């Protein structure tokens, strides 16, 4: 299988190593405006023109470019009949996200978005148990996320921390992974309400958020035939400039509860079935020994399993574990939160029918005004 990686920045070596570990694919092409950076991936050839990835000698395109490049590059690759794996987030506006989903459906190729933490053995089994009813209906959930991304991080790329580049900051880049697990565990998000703000970084560093909080509402588990209250989850996220990396997800159900901590480790589980509790504790001990991937520790090591799944899906002619439509869900939640913040915290149905971004730079608008996005 012949692969092209487009965009050879900080996450690209993680993908290249995962491909090498799998052994069923060859990295034929690495594309980047910085040819030296592209050459460091060890591809057969390099190019500064990403359109070369649409050539006949490429089967799978992996997009690791800045966020605002994803949508048009992904649609072009899908229209060219390529299989596709796109780093998060898929895109920076709701319409662009939906456009990628439509393009994937029309192409009929394998198309997936990166949410590698879903491939943790603990997360996969916990999702199966929660969605299968073993814990009973969800009563409520909460999530807390804190990290540090300094001014030097945002100054490392002109696109970072800008609405027209990164499409946001903390929520769309760092906290999105933990938000995705929260949504995956809780069900289908139907609405989001909340606010984002700048609380720690100065205006000269970013124009987007370093803090966000809100409430996500999920579809009633009973459906239309047996309606029941819609469960909700509350979340608080902050780039507080003091915490390296902190994550908490708490799920409270009728028949038990689960708490996950940093790197989504199991902190606590309660359930009448002690065999079930023991199974989850055992799964929490599984580590991909000897499979350390380059990059930040917060990435984890499960890119290797997601890329394995994508390559297997291509060979078997099946859907990937995280199809494009699934990868779009949390992306739309984050974009819905931005719209809610721009509209004074009003609930936004998902996916948002209109889109606006809060203006965090103008003091007069900090309490809820907004600017319309594309």
């Amino acid at each position: 299988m012949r692969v092209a990686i487009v965009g050879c920045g900080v996450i690209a070596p993680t993908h290249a190593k995962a491909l090498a570990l799998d052994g069923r694919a060859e990295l034929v092409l690495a594309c980047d405006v910085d040819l030296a950076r592209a050459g460091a991936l060890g591809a057969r050839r390099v190019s500064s023109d990403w359109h070369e990835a649409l050539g006949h000698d490429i089967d799978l395109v992996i997009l690791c470019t800045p966020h605002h490049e994803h949508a048009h590059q992904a649609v072009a690759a899908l229209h060219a009949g390529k299989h596709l794996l796109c780093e998060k987030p898929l895109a920076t506006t709701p319409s662009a996200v939906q456009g990628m989903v439509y393009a994937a459906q029309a192409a009929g190729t394998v198309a997936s978005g990166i949410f590698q933490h879903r491939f943790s053995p603990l997360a996969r089994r916990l999702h199966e148990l929660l969605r299968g009813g073993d814990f009973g209906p969800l009563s409520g959930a909460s999530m807390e996320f804190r990290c540090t991304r300094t001014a030097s991080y945002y100054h490392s790329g002109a696109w970072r921390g800008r609405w027209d580049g990164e499409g946001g900051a903390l929520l769309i880049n760092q906290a999105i992974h933990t938000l995705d697990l929260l949504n995956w565990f809780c069900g289908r998000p139907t609405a989001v309400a909340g606010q984002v703000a700048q609380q720690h970084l100065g205006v000269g560093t970013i124009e987007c958020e370093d803090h966000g909080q809100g409430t996500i509402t999920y579809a009633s588990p009973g459906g239309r035939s047996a309606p029941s209250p819609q469960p909700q989850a509350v979340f608080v996220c902050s780039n507080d400039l003091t915490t390296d990396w902190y994550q908490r997800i708490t799920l409270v159900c009728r028949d038990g509860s689960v708490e996950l901590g940093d790197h989504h480790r199991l902190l606590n589980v309660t359930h009448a079935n002690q065999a079930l509790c023991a199974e989850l504790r055992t799964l929490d001990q599984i580590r991909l020994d000897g499979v350390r991937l380059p990059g930040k520790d917060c990435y984890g090591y499960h890119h290797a399993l997601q890329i394995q799944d994508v390559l297997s899906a291509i060979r078997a002619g099946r859907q990937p574990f995280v199809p494009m439509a699934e990868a779009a869900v949390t992306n739309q939640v984050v974009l819905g939160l931005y719209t809610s913040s721009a509209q004074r915290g009003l609930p936004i149905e998902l996916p948002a029918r209109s889109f606006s971004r809060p203006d965090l730079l103008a003091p007069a608008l900090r309490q809820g005004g907004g600017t319309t996005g594309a």
Side-chain angles (χ1 to χ4, degrees):
M1 202 175 304
R2 300 161 300 182
V3 181
I5 293 180
V6 180
C8 302
V10 293
I11 194 62
T14 302
H15 287 263
K17 178 65 180 294
L19 286 169
L21 288 169
D22 187 277
R24 292 175 294 174
E26 179 186 5
L27 182 55
V28 171
L29 175 66
C31 299
D32 198 283
V33 293
D34 184 337
L35 289 179
R37 189 164 61 180
L41 292 189
R44 188 197 303 170
R45 71 177 195 274
V46 300
S47 175
S48 60
D49 183 0
W50 71 269
H51 291 90
E52 288 197 29
L54 308 181
H56 68 277
D57 63 333
I58 300 299
D59 303 306
L60 168 65
V61 175
I62 298 178
L63 291 181
C64 300
T65 45
H67 300 175
H68 65 286
E69 301 281 1
H70 289 175
H72 73 273
Q73 292 175 339
V75 171
L78 292 166
H79 284 172
K82 307 302 178 186
H83 303 292
L84 177 70
L85 177 60
C86 182
E87 263 293 343
K88 56 77 188 167
L90 295 184
T92 59
T93 68
S95 59
V97 173
Q98 197 58 51
M100 291 175 67
V101 173
Y102 289 151
Q105 293 169 344
T109 57
V110 170
S112 182
I114 284 287
F115 276 124
Q116 76 273 13
H117 297 305
R118 293 191 185 194
F119 288 81
S120 153
L122 172 65
R124 291 183 73 156
R125 181 57 173 152
L126 182 55
H127 172 263
E128 182 181 58
L129 292 169
L130 289 163
R131 307 317 313 145
D134 293 83
F135 280 83
L138 181 72
S139 302
S142 63
M143 176 199 133
E144 185 178 2
F145 178 89
R146 299 196 301 271
C147 73
T148 292
R149 290 293 183 268
T150 62
S152 62
Y153 169 85
Y154 286 103
H155 293 157
S156 68
W159 61 280
R160 294 190 182 278
R162 296 186 56 84
W163 292 118
D164 62 359
E166 196 169 0
L170 171 70
L171 273 298
I172 206 166
N173 200 339
Q174 285 80 43
I176 193 171
H177 281 296
T178 308
L179 278 169
D180 180 66
L181 283 186
L182 178 72
N183 292 329
W184 197 45
F185 293 149
C186 292
R188 180 174 63 85
T190 60
V192 63
Q195 293 186 320
V196 299
Q198 285 184 2
Q199 292 189 353
H200 306 284
L201 289 167
V203 170
T205 301
I206 59 174
E207 64 177 6
C208 309
E209 84 288 353
D210 62 17
H211 179 88
Q213 60 189 62
T215 302
I216 304 170
T217 302
Y218 298 92
S220 171
R224 294 182 180 180
S225 60
S228 56
Q230 291 183 285
Q232 292 187 324
V234 296
F235 63 90
V236 178
C237 307
S238 183
N239 175 11
D240 62 9
L241 303 183
T242 60
T243 305
D244 178 30
W245 201 259
Y246 176 92
Q247 300 157 303
R248 289 294 183 274
I249 293 178
T250 302
L251 307 164
V252 179
C253 304
R254 184 192 63 197
D255 301 327
S257 64
V258 177
E259 184 179 11
L260 302 181
D262 292 344
H263 304 292
H264 312 120
R265 295 288 302 274
L266 183 65
L267 294 180
N268 189 45
V269 55
T270 62
H271 196 280
N273 187 331
Q274 293 306 298
L276 181 154
C277 294
E279 178 191 14
L280 293 178
R281 294 190 188 102
T282 300
L283 289 173
D284 184 49
Q285 300 306 310
I286 295 176
R287 299 291 176 269
L288 297 183
D289 294 335
V291 189
R292 182 173 178 82
L293 299 174
K296 304 183 182 97
D297 286 342
C298 58
Y299 296 163
Y301 306 127
H302 295 109
H303 275 84
L305 295 183
Q306 182 156 11
I307 286 177
Q308 171 195 325
D309 172 72
V310 168
L311 295 177
S312 295
I314 293 170
R315 290 165 66 96
R318 62 166 173 82
Q319 282 289 300
F321 189 66
V322 187
M324 191 68 72
E326 274 288 305
V329 172
T330 297
N331 200 159
Q332 295 284 27
V333 169
V334 171
L335 297 174
L337 176 65
Y338 293 150
T339 299
S340 176
S341 186
Q343 299 183 16
R344 301 180 181 275
L346 291 176
I348 302 298
E349 292 185 5
L350 299 171
R353 297 177 183 176
S354 61
F355 179 52
S356 52
R357 298 177 173 119
D359 188 337
L360 303 179
L361 301 183
L365 297 178
R366 286 185 188 276
Q367 300 303 315
T371 57
T372 300

PDB file of all heavy atoms in Angstrom, residues 94-95 332 335-336 338-340 343 348-349 351-357 372-374:
ATOM      1  N   PRO A  94     -18.477  24.433  10.778  1.00  0.00           N
ATOM      2  CA  PRO A  94     -19.419  23.318  10.651  1.00  0.00           C
ATOM      3  C   PRO A  94     -19.673  22.902   9.205  1.00  0.00           C
ATOM      4  O   PRO A  94     -19.763  21.711   8.901  1.00  0.00           O
ATOM      5  CB  PRO A  94     -20.698  23.863  11.304  1.00  0.00           C
ATOM      6  CG  PRO A  94     -20.221  24.900  12.259  1.00  0.00           C
ATOM      7  CD  PRO A  94     -19.038  25.534  11.590  1.00  0.00           C
ATOM      8  N   SER A  95     -19.771  23.872   8.294  1.00  0.00           N
ATOM      9  CA  SER A  95     -20.045  23.524   6.899  1.00  0.00           C
ATOM     10  C   SER A  95     -18.869  22.778   6.276  1.00  0.00           C
ATOM     11  O   SER A  95     -19.061  21.849   5.474  1.00  0.00           O
ATOM     12  CB  SER A  95     -20.352  24.789   6.094  1.00  0.00           C
ATOM     13  OG  SER A  95     -19.263  25.701   6.136  1.00  0.00           O
ATOM     14  N   GLN A 332     -17.858  19.094  15.763  1.00  0.00           N
ATOM     15  CA  GLN A 332     -19.048  19.937  15.720  1.00  0.00           C
ATOM     16  C   GLN A 332     -19.435  20.437  17.113  1.00  0.00           C
ATOM     17  O   GLN A 332     -19.956  21.548  17.253  1.00  0.00           O
ATOM     18  CB  GLN A 332     -20.216  19.168  15.093  1.00  0.00           C
ATOM     19  CG  GLN A 332     -20.024  18.786  13.627  1.00  0.00           C
ATOM     20  CD  GLN A 332     -20.212  19.964  12.677  1.00  0.00           C
ATOM     21  OE1 GLN A 332     -20.012  21.122  13.036  1.00  0.00           O
ATOM     22  NE2 GLN A 332     -20.593  19.660  11.440  1.00  0.00           N
ATOM     23  N   LEU A 335     -17.175  23.479  17.744  1.00  0.00           N
ATOM     24  CA  LEU A 335     -17.621  24.618  16.938  1.00  0.00           C
ATOM     25  C   LEU A 335     -18.957  25.154  17.444  1.00  0.00           C
ATOM     26  O   LEU A 335     -19.197  26.367  17.425  1.00  0.00           O
ATOM     27  CB  LEU A 335     -17.722  24.198  15.467  1.00  0.00           C
ATOM     28  CG  LEU A 335     -16.384  23.771  14.833  1.00  0.00           C
ATOM     29  CD1 LEU A 335     -16.612  23.225  13.426  1.00  0.00           C
ATOM     30  CD2 LEU A 335     -15.390  24.923  14.805  1.00  0.00           C
ATOM     31  N   GLY A 336     -19.809  24.267  17.930  1.00  0.00           N
ATOM     32  CA  GLY A 336     -21.065  24.705  18.535  1.00  0.00           C
ATOM     33  C   GLY A 336     -20.836  25.503  19.801  1.00  0.00           C
ATOM     34  O   GLY A 336     -21.561  26.466  20.091  1.00  0.00           O
ATOM     35  N   TYR A 338     -18.226  27.439  20.375  1.00  0.00           N
ATOM     36  CA  TYR A 338     -17.807  28.777  19.954  1.00  0.00           C
ATOM     37  C   TYR A 338     -19.030  29.631  19.584  1.00  0.00           C
ATOM     38  O   TYR A 338     -19.115  30.802  19.947  1.00  0.00           O
ATOM     39  CB  TYR A 338     -16.860  28.694  18.758  1.00  0.00           C
ATOM     40  CG  TYR A 338     -15.520  28.072  19.049  1.00  0.00           C
ATOM     41  CD1 TYR A 338     -14.824  27.379  18.059  1.00  0.00           C
ATOM     42  CD2 TYR A 338     -14.928  28.174  20.306  1.00  0.00           C
ATOM     43  CE1 TYR A 338     -13.581  26.810  18.313  1.00  0.00           C
ATOM     44  CE2 TYR A 338     -13.694  27.607  20.571  1.00  0.00           C
ATOM     45  CZ  TYR A 338     -13.024  26.931  19.573  1.00  0.00           C
ATOM     46  OH  TYR A 338     -11.791  26.364  19.824  1.00  0.00           O
ATOM     47  N   THR A 339     -19.966  29.031  18.856  1.00  0.00           N
ATOM     48  CA  THR A 339     -21.181  29.764  18.475  1.00  0.00           C
ATOM     49  C   THR A 339     -21.996  30.133  19.705  1.00  0.00           C
ATOM     50  O   THR A 339     -22.510  31.255  19.816  1.00  0.00           O
ATOM     51  CB  THR A 339     -22.028  28.923  17.506  1.00  0.00           C
ATOM     52  OG1 THR A 339     -21.269  28.668  16.322  1.00  0.00           O
ATOM     53  CG2 THR A 339     -23.316  29.640  17.132  1.00  0.00           C
ATOM     54  N   SER A 340     -22.124  29.197  20.651  1.00  0.00           N
ATOM     55  CA  SER A 340     -22.856  29.478  21.883  1.00  0.00           C
ATOM     56  C   SER A 340     -22.222  30.636  22.639  1.00  0.00           C
ATOM     57  O   SER A 340     -22.919  31.530  23.137  1.00  0.00           O
ATOM     58  CB  SER A 340     -22.885  28.227  22.767  1.00  0.00           C
ATOM     59  OG  SER A 340     -23.515  28.493  24.003  1.00  0.00           O
ATOM     60  N   GLN A 343     -23.032  33.872  21.276  1.00  0.00           N
ATOM     61  CA  GLN A 343     -24.440  34.208  21.470  1.00  0.00           C
ATOM     62  C   GLN A 343     -24.828  34.161  22.948  1.00  0.00           C
ATOM     63  O   GLN A 343     -25.901  33.703  23.310  1.00  0.00           O
ATOM     64  CB  GLN A 343     -25.315  33.268  20.632  1.00  0.00           C
ATOM     65  CG  GLN A 343     -25.042  33.372  19.136  1.00  0.00           C
ATOM     66  CD  GLN A 343     -25.953  32.492  18.305  1.00  0.00           C
ATOM     67  OE1 GLN A 343     -26.980  32.002  18.766  1.00  0.00           O
ATOM     68  NE2 GLN A 343     -25.579  32.282  17.050  1.00  0.00           N
ATOM     69  N   ILE A 348     -26.980  25.611  21.592  1.00  0.00           N
ATOM     70  CA  ILE A 348     -26.877  25.480  20.144  1.00  0.00           C
ATOM     71  C   ILE A 348     -27.150  24.030  19.761  1.00  0.00           C
ATOM     72  O   ILE A 348     -26.478  23.113  20.246  1.00  0.00           O
ATOM     73  CB  ILE A 348     -25.480  25.885  19.643  1.00  0.00           C
ATOM     74  CG1 ILE A 348     -25.159  27.338  20.043  1.00  0.00           C
ATOM     75  CG2 ILE A 348     -25.367  25.692  18.135  1.00  0.00           C
ATOM     76  CD1 ILE A 348     -26.089  28.368  19.447  1.00  0.00           C
ATOM     77  N   GLU A 349     -28.151  23.813  18.912  1.00  0.00           N
ATOM     78  CA  GLU A 349     -28.418  22.467  18.418  1.00  0.00           C
ATOM     79  C   GLU A 349     -27.290  22.036  17.490  1.00  0.00           C
ATOM     80  O   GLU A 349     -26.712  22.846  16.768  1.00  0.00           O
ATOM     81  CB  GLU A 349     -29.758  22.422  17.674  1.00  0.00           C
ATOM     82  CG  GLU A 349     -30.954  22.624  18.572  1.00  0.00           C
ATOM     83  CD  GLU A 349     -32.268  22.443  17.831  1.00  0.00           C
ATOM     84  OE1 GLU A 349     -32.236  22.061  16.635  1.00  0.00           O
ATOM     85  OE2 GLU A 349     -33.327  22.657  18.445  1.00  0.00           O
ATOM     86  N   PRO A 351     -25.608  19.434  14.456  1.00  0.00           N
ATOM     87  CA  PRO A 351     -24.590  20.451  14.163  1.00  0.00           C
ATOM     88  C   PRO A 351     -25.227  21.814  13.987  1.00  0.00           C
ATOM     89  O   PRO A 351     -26.383  21.933  13.587  1.00  0.00           O
ATOM     90  CB  PRO A 351     -23.968  19.954  12.854  1.00  0.00           C
ATOM     91  CG  PRO A 351     -25.050  19.166  12.190  1.00  0.00           C
ATOM     92  CD  PRO A 351     -25.818  18.522  13.308  1.00  0.00           C
ATOM     93  N   ALA A 352     -24.464  22.868  14.287  1.00  0.00           N
ATOM     94  CA  ALA A 352     -25.005  24.226  14.266  1.00  0.00           C
ATOM     95  C   ALA A 352     -25.474  24.603  12.862  1.00  0.00           C
ATOM     96  O   ALA A 352     -24.788  24.338  11.880  1.00  0.00           O
ATOM     97  CB  ALA A 352     -23.945  25.213  14.740  1.00  0.00           C
ATOM     98  N   ARG A 353     -26.648  25.196  12.771  1.00  0.00           N
ATOM     99  CA  ARG A 353     -27.179  25.628  11.475  1.00  0.00           C
ATOM    100  C   ARG A 353     -26.523  26.922  11.009  1.00  0.00           C
ATOM    101  O   ARG A 353     -26.472  27.204   9.812  1.00  0.00           O
ATOM    102  CB  ARG A 353     -28.698  25.797  11.574  1.00  0.00           C
ATOM    103  CG  ARG A 353     -29.426  24.492  11.881  1.00  0.00           C
ATOM    104  CD  ARG A 353     -30.927  24.701  12.041  1.00  0.00           C
ATOM    105  NE  ARG A 353     -31.604  23.460  12.393  1.00  0.00           N
ATOM    106  CZ  ARG A 353     -32.897  23.370  12.663  1.00  0.00           C
ATOM    107  NH1 ARG A 353     -33.660  24.468  12.635  1.00  0.00           N
ATOM    108  NH2 ARG A 353     -33.441  22.211  12.970  1.00  0.00           N
ATOM    109  N   SER A 354     -26.077  27.726  11.946  1.00  0.00           N
ATOM    110  CA  SER A 354     -25.293  28.921  11.629  1.00  0.00           C
ATOM    111  C   SER A 354     -24.054  28.889  12.502  1.00  0.00           C
ATOM    112  O   SER A 354     -23.981  28.122  13.471  1.00  0.00           O
ATOM    113  CB  SER A 354     -26.101  30.197  11.880  1.00  0.00           C
ATOM    114  OG  SER A 354     -26.463  30.286  13.248  1.00  0.00           O
ATOM    115  N   PHE A 355     -23.080  29.700  12.164  1.00  0.00           N
ATOM    116  CA  PHE A 355     -21.813  29.635  12.875  1.00  0.00           C
ATOM    117  C   PHE A 355     -21.286  31.034  13.135  1.00  0.00           C
ATOM    118  O   PHE A 355     -21.297  31.883  12.242  1.00  0.00           O
ATOM    119  CB  PHE A 355     -20.792  28.842  12.047  1.00  0.00           C
ATOM    120  CG  PHE A 355     -19.440  28.737  12.693  1.00  0.00           C
ATOM    121  CD1 PHE A 355     -19.300  28.284  13.986  1.00  0.00           C
ATOM    122  CD2 PHE A 355     -18.295  29.089  11.998  1.00  0.00           C
ATOM    123  CE1 PHE A 355     -18.050  28.178  14.591  1.00  0.00           C
ATOM    124  CE2 PHE A 355     -17.036  28.985  12.581  1.00  0.00           C
ATOM    125  CZ  PHE A 355     -16.923  28.525  13.879  1.00  0.00           C
ATOM    126  N   SER A 356     -20.865  31.257  14.369  1.00  0.00           N
ATOM    127  CA  SER A 356     -20.212  32.519  14.716  1.00  0.00           C
ATOM    128  C   SER A 356     -19.136  32.248  15.739  1.00  0.00           C
ATOM    129  O   SER A 356     -19.201  31.285  16.506  1.00  0.00           O
ATOM    130  CB  SER A 356     -21.233  33.535  15.246  1.00  0.00           C
ATOM    131  OG  SER A 356     -22.003  32.991  16.294  1.00  0.00           O
ATOM    132  N   ARG A 357     -18.136  33.105  15.729  1.00  0.00           N
ATOM    133  CA  ARG A 357     -17.022  32.979  16.659  1.00  0.00           C
ATOM    134  C   ARG A 357     -17.045  34.153  17.624  1.00  0.00           C
ATOM    135  O   ARG A 357     -17.289  35.288  17.214  1.00  0.00           O
ATOM    136  CB  ARG A 357     -15.696  32.968  15.903  1.00  0.00           C
ATOM    137  CG  ARG A 357     -15.524  31.808  14.937  1.00  0.00           C
ATOM    138  CD  ARG A 357     -14.211  31.955  14.192  1.00  0.00           C
ATOM    139  NE  ARG A 357     -13.901  30.800  13.366  1.00  0.00           N
ATOM    140  CZ  ARG A 357     -13.756  30.833  12.047  1.00  0.00           C
ATOM    141  NH1 ARG A 357     -13.926  31.983  11.392  1.00  0.00           N
ATOM    142  NH2 ARG A 357     -13.442  29.742  11.374  1.00  0.00           N
ATOM    143  N   THR A 372     -19.410  36.901  12.857  1.00  0.00           N
ATOM    144  CA  THR A 372     -19.868  35.783  12.060  1.00  0.00           C
ATOM    145  C   THR A 372     -18.716  35.134  11.323  1.00  0.00           C
ATOM    146  O   THR A 372     -17.874  35.815  10.760  1.00  0.00           O
ATOM    147  CB  THR A 372     -20.917  36.258  11.040  1.00  0.00           C
ATOM    148  OG1 THR A 372     -22.001  36.813  11.761  1.00  0.00           O
ATOM    149  CG2 THR A 372     -21.424  35.088  10.195  1.00  0.00           C
ATOM    150  N   GLY A 373     -18.688  33.794  11.334  1.00  0.00           N
ATOM    151  CA  GLY A 373     -17.660  33.039  10.634  1.00  0.00           C
ATOM    152  C   GLY A 373     -18.204  32.489   9.341  1.00  0.00           C
ATOM    153  O   GLY A 373     -19.393  32.592   9.033  1.00  0.00           O
ATOM    154  N   ALA A 374     -17.302  31.816   8.601  1.00  0.00           N
ATOM    155  CA  ALA A 374     -17.707  31.248   7.317  1.00  0.00           C
ATOM    156  C   ALA A 374     -18.600  30.045   7.537  1.00  0.00           C
ATOM    157  O   ALA A 374     -18.487  29.358   8.520  1.00  0.00           O
ATOM    158  CB  ALA A 374     -16.464  30.841   6.531  1.00  0.00           C
TER     159      ALA A 374
END
